[in-house]
Amino acid sequence: MAAPVPTGPGDDASAVLDELSRNFSYWVPGAGNGSLSGAWYRRNQTHLFGVLLAILGNLVISISLNIQYSHLQLAQQEHPKPFFRSMLWWGGVLLMAVGEIGNFAAYGVAPITLIAPLGCMSVTGSAIISVLFLKENLRASDLLGITLAFTGTYLLVNFAPNITQAISARTVQYYFVGWQFLLYVILEILVFCILLYFYKRKGMTHIAILLALVALLASVTAISVKAVSGMITFSMTDKMQLTYPIFYIMLIIMIASCVFQVKFLNQATKLYTTTTVVPVNHIFFTTSAIIAGIVFYQEFLGAAFLTVFIYVLGCFLSFLGVFLVTRNREKEPLQQSYVDFGNVPGKQMLDKVQPDSIGLSYGTLPDGSDSTKSQSGEKKEA
């Protein structure tokens, strides 16, 4: 049945309201079909399960990161234990693994464009945990950022593509040889090689270059993670898919892209502060993952304009929330422990040695020179 053609101002307003109603109810207009109704939850319960897994996984990861930071603080004690003997350290590692498994499972039951932006929950969750348990100050920008991130997440969950795909091996093979993905891969490889040339040959270590390399790898990671997780899920619910070669191809791509991703991300964290890397990496990673989901899995195929617009608005709000939460929030630097050389035969060690953060001296030296004494005296006065 064709839709009525608006003939006047009143009809135009009615058409706009109908369009908004369809977008809020995923093109099923009518009473009781809104985003807070029971009918909406019944239609989207699989996606909501993926959302729940992703949110819980990111919250567990944020708890893990705060536990590991607490371990580093305890390591400054006079007689610290080796990290592999610390229950606190192992607890952080275990929680990190549980959180990543939750994210991995979420990709198998929900679209990439729905799961990838939920990484903002890790940042906001870490800020909340830092305030509650590490006794950090709660700033006005934190409250505003958390509010914006939650609002953006709500819009993302409501307006992400409402498609349910059974990710089988044949489905992955079909998308893998599609012209859209082949064109995307060629373009991505070209951009990656250009950025790698500037980074390796020209020595350019700007944060945008490093995190763009991470983002390009992240798009491949998102595609392969969803493929591997989806095929495992399909094997558990329907037919075994782990005997197909495409599964192991995607598994190798996933592992390799993750390894090189971590390499470039570690380089970025060495050169720039965490408060600079985290928001930029979140924006780059989320954007690249969304593009990968649109190109490879065609997750926005047939989506309405208003749905896409509000989805983009939700992404923007989550990005802004992450920026506000991480702005000027740098962890207090941990004090470097002294290096005690102990008793060296034939050498008289007057004191422990530690690099001086102000001058060029390295603590107390055994030569007894005036310059050394003056430096030692200045350190004591300081």
Side-chain angles (χ1 to χ4, degrees), residues 324-337:
L324 291 175
V325 169
T326 57
R327 185 175 67 92
N328 297 329
R329 178 184 288 275
E330 187 67 37
K331 293 290 187 181
E332 182 180 353
L334 299 173
Q335 298 295 325
Q336 295 182 354
S337 58

Side-chain angles (χ1 to χ4, degrees), residues 349-371:
M349 302 302 293
L350 301 179
D351 202 351
K352 297 177 180 180
V353 179
Q354 183 187 24
D356 189 353
S357 60
I358 300 176
L360 299 177
S361 62
Y362 275 77
T364 306
L365 300 177
D367 56 5
S369 62
D370 293 336
S371 62

Side-chain angles (χ1 to χ4, degrees), residues 17-347:
L17 291 176
D18 288 342
E19 176 80 5
L20 185 61
S21 175
R22 282 192 292 269
N23 280 278
F24 266 104
S25 56
Y26 291 97
W27 291 95
V28 187
N33 286 314
S35 59
L36 296 179
S37 67
W40 184 88
Y41 284 110
R42 285 191 295 271
R43 288 195 307 273
N44 299 277
Q45 57 183 352
T46 303
H47 289 178
L48 290 177
F49 178 66
V51 169
L52 181 62
L53 284 176
I55 291 177
L56 290 178
N58 284 301
L59 291 178
V60 170
I61 290 173
S62 64
I63 295 173
S64 167
L65 294 175
N66 281 276
I67 287 178
Q68 290 176 339
Y69 180 74
S70 300
H71 166 74
L72 293 178
Q73 287 181 319
L74 294 176
Q76 304 304 313
Q77 296 174 353
E78 185 176 358
H79 300 290
K81 295 181 180 179
F83 67 93
F84 55 85
R85 293 185 181 178
S86 171
M87 295 299 296
L88 192 64
W89 184 84
W90 280 110
V93 171
L94 180 61
L95 288 177
M96 177 70 75
V98 171
E100 293 296 349
I101 291 173
N103 274 331
F104 177 79
Y107 277 99
V109 296
I112 294 177
T113 48
L114 176 58
I115 300 302
L118 297 179
C120 65
M121 292 292 102
S122 177
V123 179
T124 55
S126 181
I128 295 173
I129 293 170
S130 297
V131 172
L132 294 178
F133 298 100
L134 299 182
K135 307 304 180 183
E136 294 188 6
N137 295 327
L138 180 64
R139 307 169 303 175
S141 61
D142 295 336
L143 288 175
L144 179 59
I146 292 171
T147 303
L148 289 176
F150 286 169
T151 303
T153 300
Y154 176 78
L155 293 178
L156 289 169
V157 172
N158 278 274
F159 289 92
N162 184 30
I163 60 171
T164 302
Q165 296 188 71
I167 305 300
S168 64
R170 294 186 180 277
T171 303
V172 176
Q173 289 174 354
Y174 173 78
Y175 287 138
F176 197 79
V177 297
W179 68 267
Q180 301 96 329
F181 178 66
L182 293 178
L183 182 63
Y184 175 74
V185 167
I186 293 172
L187 181 61
E188 185 171 87
I189 292 175
L190 181 62
V191 175
F192 186 86
C193 291
I194 293 174
L195 292 175
L196 194 62
Y197 170 78
F198 283 110
Y199 171 63
K200 290 290 187 181
R201 297 295 184 181
K202 299 296 183 179
M204 298 178 64
T205 57
H206 193 275
I207 186 173
I209 294 179
L210 289 171
L211 294 184
L213 290 169
V214 174
L216 291 173
L217 291 168
S219 64
V220 179
T221 303
I223 291 173
S224 56
V225 165
K226 181 169 179 60
V228 173
S229 179
M231 283 187 277
I232 292 176
T233 304
F234 197 88
S235 299
M236 296 172 61
T237 57
D238 196 327
K239 182 182 177 182
M240 176 60 65
Q241 302 293 306
L242 307 187
T243 57
Y244 291 86
I246 190 65
F247 173 80
Y248 298 97
I249 292 174
M250 284 298 186
L251 182 63
I252 293 172
I253 293 175
M254 180 185 72
I255 295 173
S257 60
C258 285
V259 170
F260 286 103
Q261 219 182 131
V262 171
K263 177 184 177 181
F264 289 117
L265 190 58
N266 284 340
Q267 185 64 29
T269 55
K270 290 178 182 178
L271 298 174
Y272 301 94
T273 61
T274 305
T275 54
T276 304
V277 173
V278 168
V280 177
N281 182 61
H282 174 69
I283 294 172
F284 281 22
F285 169 83
T286 304
T287 303
S288 65
I290 290 172
I291 294 174
I294 293 173
V295 173
F296 190 87
Y297 294 102
Q298 304 176 17
E299 292 181 352
F300 267 102
L301 188 64
F305 172 77
L306 190 57
T307 300
V308 177
F309 175 78
I310 299 181
Y311 175 84
V312 173
L313 176 62
C315 289
F316 174 76
L317 292 178
S318 67
F319 292 161
L320 184 59
V322 169
F323 172 77
L324 291 175
V325 169
T326 57
R327 185 175 67 92
N328 297 329
R329 178 184 288 275
E330 187 67 37
K331 293 290 187 181
E332 182 180 353
L334 299 173
Q335 298 295 325
Q336 295 182 354
S337 58
Y338 285 95
V339 181
D340 189 358
F341 286 96
N343 296 322
V344 180
K347 296 290 183 180

